[in-house]
Amino acid sequence: MVHGIRIALFLWAGSCAIAPAAGQDSGDTGNPVYDQRFFDRTQPSNAYEMVALLPAFTIAEGMADVRGYSGVAGNVLIDGQRPAGKTDTLEAILKRLPASRVARIELIRAGTAGYDMQGHALLANVILVKTGTIGGRIEAEQALYRHGLRAPRVSAQATFDGRGRVIDLFATVYREIDDEHGFGVRNRFASDGTPLRLVDYAQPEGADVAQATLAYRQPLFGGTLRLNGLVQDKRKFADIAHAVIFPAPDAIVGSERKHARTYEGGLRYDRALGPADDLELVGSYRSVTTVGIDRESTAWEYSVSDERSNASEAILRAALRHHRGGATIEIGAEGAVNSLDVRNALVEDGEPVPLPQANVRVAERRAELFVTASRPFGARTMAEFGVRYEISRLSQTGDIDLVKSFAFWKPRARLVWAPAPNRTIRLLAERAVGQLDFGDFVGAASLTSGTISAGNADLEPDSLWRVELSYERRFGAGSFTLAARREWISDLVDQLPVVVDGVLYDAVGNIGAARRDTVEASLKWPLDGFGARGVVVTADFVARRGRATDPATGERRPISGDLPVEARVALAHDIPAWRLRWGGSYAFARTETAFKVEEIEADHLAGRLDLFVEYRPDARWTLRLFGKNLTDSAATRTRDIYAGIRGDGALRYRELRVLRSGRYVGLTVQRSFGG
């Protein structure tokens, strides 16, 4: 009965609010456009919060770890273009843009002429105000954690806008604390539950980051040239302490340090070649140098793990789009040169320990040709077809010499049907091919977990066929979306046993065919119609069920790393008369499991509550007080360690690690200046 009442209320709210919300219009293409009036009732402070309010839209970050641009870009544009860099996330870029700099946001649907959708059904195009002045923002933040940890942040952003030339400068220095680590226990138990080792354990983790970015834009030869650069210095740290209580008092101390320096530069040039043709050129270069040193010592032992790597990526992409009468065709090509040079070492008590494939250089040359076409069929239906052809040559030198070549066809077809102005149904069928992680070719040691993994030179990319059906319902400023997806996977990349010089190791490898089913739902529900003006409820839910054949046991099991359930609900209440905004979110518990050769590792993160209050004394100042992990939720890792390959060996012990970072609170102060 109660469930039926909830459904009725939801349907009533949707049916009584179908009219466009204030500040929502339809552009020349028929796509919805949201101007400042749409956001006045919610007082967002930056572009990220504005995009998050768009009905039926969810931000999808680009996959920075995937090499190249094609098919991996995010779904947010700024002034019609994607950021040329890959290090900065969309969230970070959008949060740097004050809401006052946003003139409007266009929601672009698949098939819209002149846009490269990169496989997304929707794009959000953030159009900035052309002020012709100097403006910016200064921000200071401090977060206080239990056990005396602190996370300060200082940022400054400035924009110089004049005569068609725009310069954006940004710099920040901050410390981030990993709130999934902290202080607790790390105990071991026999298969019958008898304690084998009881330990008070500490593993606080974080990183100190300094970053500066530069973006420049100007007209050139009838088009627009965009340049960007980034320098980032990131120093991760973890201080580890075991205070052994049972079976005998003992102390083990350790540390993890990783220093990464990133340099990135890119350019993007786009130009109209006529009323129906557009040209886009993109080029970028990125290099990352990493040094990681892990140490662990007891009264009688001392171990050091040393990992050093140099990675680089150079990309050049060109695309030509022709659009006429609602139809669009795009053709293009992309080339990339990637490399990774790794040198890993492990020393125990002054003696080097051999690691399998620890010194490896991997180089890749890759090219991709693509063509995409879309056209409307009547007023309510649109079809999109595309195909990409990828060829690559991968070489490994060092501890192993190997050359491989790959070639893949990647077709995609999407059908969009709008049976009513506020409803959309989409059907997608495509083939996708994964990319190999170069780090999986290299052997490495982890002192924290006490494991050594082998590199796998024979690793090949997995591929899949995907079919997805989605439904979108919009009601005023709110929306409900539902999607169901099935994937048939070939050559799944997971964990498998590898024998090197007669020794068994865990490695990443191809374990055969698999299948994954996914259901996603998202709700954005303004409660103005119920008398709760300014209150917006959002909820997101994802359920996955993957099945693969375990190479260690021969039995069917979930896919390593898949989260069976992810769920989050949030509420925000804006009170413009008081210049106040408050709200919170609750992330439900989730568990991630990895099936390794001699162990099963499950990471469980309990549900977490976050709250915030934001006050604006005037148009330039913003004060935000926040509290996170207010439930003091634990991060629990369970490791079942077997004597040999799982399925053949008995359970040696179960290790239970429970860590808490504790509740933490913080204050953010922002001051904007200029136009």
Side-chain angles (χ1 to χ4, degrees), residues 199-229:
V199 178
D200 287 335
Y201 185 70
Q203 190 180 344
E205 292 191 9
D208 294 317
V209 183
Q211 177 178 313
T213 65
L214 165 67
Y216 175 73
R217 182 173 78 241
Q218 74 160 56
L220 181 68
F221 302 135
T224 302
L225 174 68
R226 293 172 171 84
L227 303 175
N228 70 280

Side-chain angles (χ1 to χ4, degrees), residues 525-572:
W525 195 0
L527 301 184
D528 297 36
F530 296 95
R533 183 169 179 77
V535 177
V536 179
V537 174
T538 61
D540 297 286
F541 173 82
V542 181
R544 300 180 185 87
R545 186 178 188 274
R547 306 301 293 175
T549 300
D550 194 315
T553 66
E555 299 176 351
R556 299 290 286 176
R557 61 153 170 86
I559 297 172
S560 290
D562 274 4
L563 294 173
V565 176
E566 292 180 272
R568 178 180 178 273
V569 62
L571 179 147

Side-chain angles (χ1 to χ4, degrees), residues 250-253 296-304 347-350:
D250 196 4
I252 306 172
V253 295
E296 185 175 274
S297 63
T298 67
W300 57 89
E301 292 180 336
Y302 181 73
S303 301
V304 179
V347 177
E348 293 182 350
D349 296 329

Side-chain angles (χ1 to χ4, degrees), residues 10-68:
F10 175 75
L11 295 177
W12 173 79
S15 64
C16 69
I18 291 176
Q24 176 186 343
D25 300 302
S26 294
D28 296 337
T29 62
N31 291 321
V33 179
Y34 302 90
D35 61 22
Q36 284 286 351
R37 293 175 299 157
F38 177 83
F39 302 102
D40 283 346
R41 50 186 285 281
T42 51
Q43 306 180 94
S45 61
N46 54 55
Y48 179 80
E49 295 177 357
M50 298 173 78
V51 171
L53 289 167
L54 298 178
F57 185 80
T58 300
I59 295 176
E61 290 282 359
M63 293 178 280
D65 293 336
V66 176
R67 299 179 296 281

Side-chain angles (χ1 to χ4, degrees), residues 231-272:
V231 178
Q232 184 187 82
D233 186 276
K234 187 170 187 177
R235 300 169 187 254
K236 293 184 178 181
F237 60 85
D239 294 309
I240 303 167
H242 302 68
V244 182
I245 302 170
F246 176 83
D250 196 4
I252 306 172
V253 295
S255 66
E256 296 180 355
R257 298 291 186 270
K258 180 176 289 188
H259 183 195
R261 288 180 176 171
T262 302
Y263 301 93
E264 183 177 77
L267 66 85
R268 183 185 296 269
Y269 179 73
D270 58 278
R271 184 182 187 277

Side-chain angles (χ1 to χ4, degrees), residues 142-151 175 177 183 661:
Q142 179 66 283
L144 304 178
Y145 293 72
R146 189 189 296 175
H147 309 291
L149 299 176
R150 288 176 170 80
R175 166 170 285 191
I177 300 297
F183 302 82
S661 63

Side-chain angles (χ1 to χ4, degrees), residues 130-184:
K130 307 302 185 288
T131 62
T133 60
I134 298 176
R137 173 187 288 188
I138 298 174
E139 177 182 304
E141 179 179 293
Q142 179 66 283
L144 304 178
Y145 293 72
R146 189 189 296 175
H147 309 291
L149 299 176
R150 288 176 170 80
R153 178 191 298 264
V154 178
S155 303
Q157 179 265 334
T159 300
F160 304 86
D161 185 350
R163 298 183 180 180
R165 291 174 171 81
V166 180
I167 300 175
D168 272 309
L169 301 172
F170 174 75
T172 183
V173 178
Y174 63 94
R175 166 170 285 191
E176 58 185 14
I177 300 297
D178 184 349
D179 61 6
E180 296 184 16
H181 289 83
F183 302 82

